[in-house]
Structure formats: C-alpha cells, structure tokens
C-alpha cells in the first residue's frame, strides 16, 4: 500500500473526530434520557404535593370512563380506612395502595407504571404514569440531542480534508520543484511560506543541492581542464608526425598511418570531451539569443555535404518550418552536428539522410532520419550514456549523444532516438527545444 501522509492524517483525524462524536453523542443521549426521567419524576412529586394541599376534593368523584389520554398521569387518593379509592382520575386502574412511600415501578393491569406514593396520616396520594410513555418522551428528547453531532461530524470530516490538503499543497509544490532538479538545473528550493516544521528539511535539501552542484561543477571543470591540457601536447604530437612523414621508410608507412589515425582519434575524443564539459555548464541566462533553427540545420548539412557526396549519401531537408528557440546558437549547432554526424557515419554508402524542422506541441523538433542499420531495441535505452557505443566497428568516442542530451536538458528540451517505424531500416534521432517565439 502506498503510504500517503495526507491520507494517513485525514484518516487519523477523521477517526478521532468520529470517536469524539460517538462518545459525545452517547453521553448526551444518556444524560438527556436521565434528565427527562428526573423531570417526569419531579412532576409526579409536585402533583402529589398539590393533592395534599386540599386539591384532592376538586377531583371529580366519578370521572367519565376512559376520558383520560394515555399519556396523562393518573391520580388516586386513598382515605385511611376505605378499601376503594376516595378519588381517582382512572377508577378502573387499581394502583397498589401498599406501594412504599416515594417512587416505585410496578406492573399494573399488564402495563408497567412509575408510581409516586405520598403518605399522610389520614390519606395516601398516589400519582402514576405509564413507563412506556415516559420512555417515549425521554427517547424523543434524547434523539433530538444527537442531531447536532450527526450534522457536525461529517462537516468536520470535510474541514479536516480541506485543511490537510491545503497544508500539504506546499509540500507537493516542493516535490515538483525537487523533481525538476537535474544536472543542468540546480535550483535551491524556496523557503517562503513553508511551515517551520518543514524548514529544516528544506534547508538540508538545499545544502545537498549546493554540494551536489559544487561537486558536479568541479567534475565538469576537471574534464574541461584535462581536455584543454591534453590538447596542446596532442597538437604538438600531430605537428611532429606531420614533420616526420617524409622521413618514414616506405615499409613503415602503414604503421605510421595507424599512429596518425590514433592521434586523430585522440584529438576527436578531446574535442568531444570539451564539448561535453561546455554542454554540462550551468546555463547563463544573459547569453541566450534568438536562434534561427532552420539556418543552424542548413549550416550543419553544408558542413557534412562533401563527405556525404563522397560516399554517395543523399542528404537533404524535407520539411523546414520557420522556428526560433531561445538558446546559445553554438549549443544548438553542436547538438544538430552530432546527430547529423551519426547519421552520416552509421549510414552505409549510397544511403539517404533527411532532416526536418517542425513545431509540435509548443516544441521545436529537429529530426534526423537515416537509412542505416538502426540499433538493437535492447541497446536503445543506453545510447545516451557516456562512452556507450553500440557499434564498435565504426570509430567514435561514444560521447556525441550524451552531448546532445546535455544540451537538450539544459534548455528544458528532450532528446530521443528510435528505430524507424515505416518499414525501412534506420534511425530517427530527434532533439526538441521549447519554442522561443
Ligand atoms: N544514426 C545511427 N545509426 C546507428 N547507430 C547509431 C546512430 N547514432 C548513434 N548510433 C549508435 O549509438 C552509439 C552512441 O552514439 P554517440 O554519437 O554517442 O557516439 P559515437 O558516435 O560513437 O561517438 P562520437 O559521436 O562521440 O564521435 C554509437 O556508437 C552508435 O553505435
Ligand atoms: Mg556520434
């Protein structure tokens, strides 16, 4: 089960509110019933008291039969030596004269009665009421006391849900911010409006972000410095090799060519390392410009045109929407050149490479489609990893696509690579930037 702080809080608070509601309801129900019963007893007692004060004689000697409503109280007055009551509001009801003084509950004529007996030297006064009527009255009152709880508890549930959701909304926002953090976006989390209980947590995350940014920056700087340092001796090596070439004996020419191609490969690797370090650098917003994407694509095509023609590869642009992005032009150029260079490099002679610029879902997409061998599906998820090479037969440093990905995420874009789905073999390599106009 997914643990959700919000659900746990809402559940716990609602259960607590319900328990309080039930306890409160039960106790007010019981108290109200007991109170009502005491009130009815008091009434019996008061009526009996009135009878003692001479009111007894005002009762009709022979009341009309069944004239009394069911819920009313029955009064019976006994004179000391008489066997039948002196007065009774319900002569058919034989109240037990011998009942003890005070309150008693007795069954009379098959019904339960609450009887109050007041004994005087010359007479006994009994005032009685049906227990069923009393229960009904008490019950009616007690149920009425439950209504506020029945209405309030669900309202408090809703209030709990709203309050908890509102309080945790800030956490959700912070979660979204944390999700947005990646190598090229190390933004500190904002602490404004954050509850003080969560502040230490945010401070720790911010500290961690700062340390992470520092360590990534120092790693990037190391790569960049190392590549720079290596470039000078490698250039010197290249020069030495150029100077040496005329003096190499014809039998050693083949080995010498290998040595030179090794130097060239190392130069390529260093150049890619420098590009990667540059792509990983934190974005300086003041350096952003409005980049004309189709123009960048045309330049990249022009650069590879001689090689493409030499190998009989038909390279062209099929759809060139007018599109602009806010970026550093050199970054967009490097990304496009890496994709085009892959397409040319991995497509066999006489193949075809198509480029397109399209605007889809508010993004500017540059797609490079080739007629090469494609990539085994299981290797696709790894092609953006640094130094990963799916095809070791053809030379390369394995950094090109990592550079493309670093540039894409630096500008909030996406890089993707998939095999063609139109029945032909080949790759569709794409990079998308948020549209800048
Ligand atoms: N268009 C493509 N067709 C077939 N395979 C490709 C294509 N593009 C990339 N790949 C595969 O993905 C791997 C990674 O590509 P990436 O551009 O990162 O490195 P690279 O081309 O080997 O070296 P670099 O571009 O740094 O010189 C390549 O080695 C290649 O196997
Ligand atoms: Mg490449």
């Amino acid at each position: 089960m997914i643990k959700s702080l919000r659900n746990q809080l809402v559940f716990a608070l609602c259960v607590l509110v319900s328990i309080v509601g039930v306890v409160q309801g039960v106790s007010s129900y019981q108290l109200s019933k007991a109170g009502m019963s005491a009130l009815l007893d008091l009434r019996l007692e008061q009526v009996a008291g009135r009878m003692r004060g001479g009111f007894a004689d005002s009762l009709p000697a022979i009341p009309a039969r069944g004239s009394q409503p069911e819920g009313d109280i029955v009064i019976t007055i006994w004179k000391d030596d008489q066997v039948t009551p002196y007065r009774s509001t319900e002569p058919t009801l034989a109240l037990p004269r011998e009942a003890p003084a005070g309150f008693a509950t007795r069954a009379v004529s098959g019904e339960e009665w609450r009887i109050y007996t007041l004994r005087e030297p010359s007479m006994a006064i009994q005032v009685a009421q049906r227990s069923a009527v009393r229960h009904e009255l008490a019950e009616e009152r007690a149920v009425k006391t439950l209504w506020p709880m029945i209405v309030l508890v669900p309202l408090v549930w809703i209030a709990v849900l709203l309050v908890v959701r509102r309080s945790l909304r800030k956490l959700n926002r912070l979660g979204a911010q944390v999700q947005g953090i990646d190598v090229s976006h190390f933004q500190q989390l904002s602490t404004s409006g954050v509850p003080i209980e969560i502040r230490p947590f945010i401070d720790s995350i911010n500290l961690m972000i700062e340390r992470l940014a520092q360590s990534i920056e120092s790693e990037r700087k190391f790569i960049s410095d190392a590549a720079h340092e290596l470039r000078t001796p490698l250039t010197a090596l290249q020069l030495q090799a150029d100077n040496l070439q005329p003096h190499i004996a014809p039998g050693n020419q083949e080995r010498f060519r290998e040595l030179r191609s090794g130097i060239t490969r190392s130069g390529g690797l260093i150049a890619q390392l420098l590009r990667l370090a540059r792509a990983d650098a934190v974005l300086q917003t003041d350096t952003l410009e409005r980049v004309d994407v189709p123009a960048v694509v045309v330049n990249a095509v022009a650069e590879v045109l001689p090689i493409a023609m030499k190998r009989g590869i038909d390279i062209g642009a099929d759809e060139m929407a007018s599109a602009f992005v806010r970026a550093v032009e050199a970054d967009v150029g490097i990304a496009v050149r890496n994709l085009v260079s892959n397409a040319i490099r991995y497509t066999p002679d006489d193949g075809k490479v198509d480029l397109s610029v399209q605007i889809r879902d508010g993004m500017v997409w540059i797609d490079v489609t080739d007629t090469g061998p494609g990539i085994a599906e299981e290797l696709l998820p790894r092609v953006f990893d640094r130094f990963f090479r799916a095809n070791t037969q053809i030379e390369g440093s394995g950094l090109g696509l990592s550079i493309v990905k670093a540039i894409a995420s630096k500008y909030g874009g996406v890089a993707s690579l998939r095999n063609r789905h139109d029945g032909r073999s080949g790759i569709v390599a794409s990079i998308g930037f948020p549209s800048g106009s």
Side-chain angles (χ1 to χ4, degrees), residues 272 338 341-342 345-346 400-401:
Q272 286 292 68
N338 271 303
S341 123
N342 278 354
R345 196 184 302 174
Y346 299 106
L401 290 175

Side-chain angles (χ1 to χ4, degrees), residues 338-357:
N338 271 303
L339 294 184
V340 173
S341 123
N342 278 354
I344 296 285
R345 196 184 302 174
Y346 299 106
T347 299
D349 291 357
D350 305 321
K352 193 168 186 311
V353 173
D354 282 316
L355 282 96
S356 72
V357 176

Side-chain angles (χ1 to χ4, degrees), residues 293 323-325 357-359 362-366 431-436:
V293 180
F324 296 86
V325 295
V357 176
Q358 292 169 28
I359 300 176
M363 301 267 283
V364 176
W365 288 94
I366 304 156
I431 181 165
F433 293 96
S435 180

Side-chain angles (χ1 to χ4, degrees), residues 15-90:
V15 167
L16 207 70
V17 167
S18 309
I19 291 173
V20 170
V22 168
V23 169
Q24 167 69 26
V26 168
S27 64
S28 69
Y29 179 83
Q30 299 291 6
L31 277 175
S32 158
K33 259 177 100 166
M36 192 62 188
S37 180
L39 210 69
L40 291 170
D41 278 355
L42 185 70
R43 195 163 69 125
L44 295 184
E45 209 177 331
Q46 281 173 345
V47 170
R50 281 292 164 88
M51 293 299 126
R52 183 178 50 185
F55 277 93
D57 293 334
S58 64
L59 293 179
I62 308 164
R65 281 196 161 208
S67 61
Q68 209 178 341
E70 253 221 339
D72 226 343
I73 54 176
V74 171
I75 306 165
T76 300
I77 294 155
W78 307 83
K79 288 281 179 179
D80 40 12
D81 47 350
Q82 287 173 5
V83 187
T84 51
Y86 164 64
R87 287 278 197 277
S88 177
T89 54
E90 194 66 68

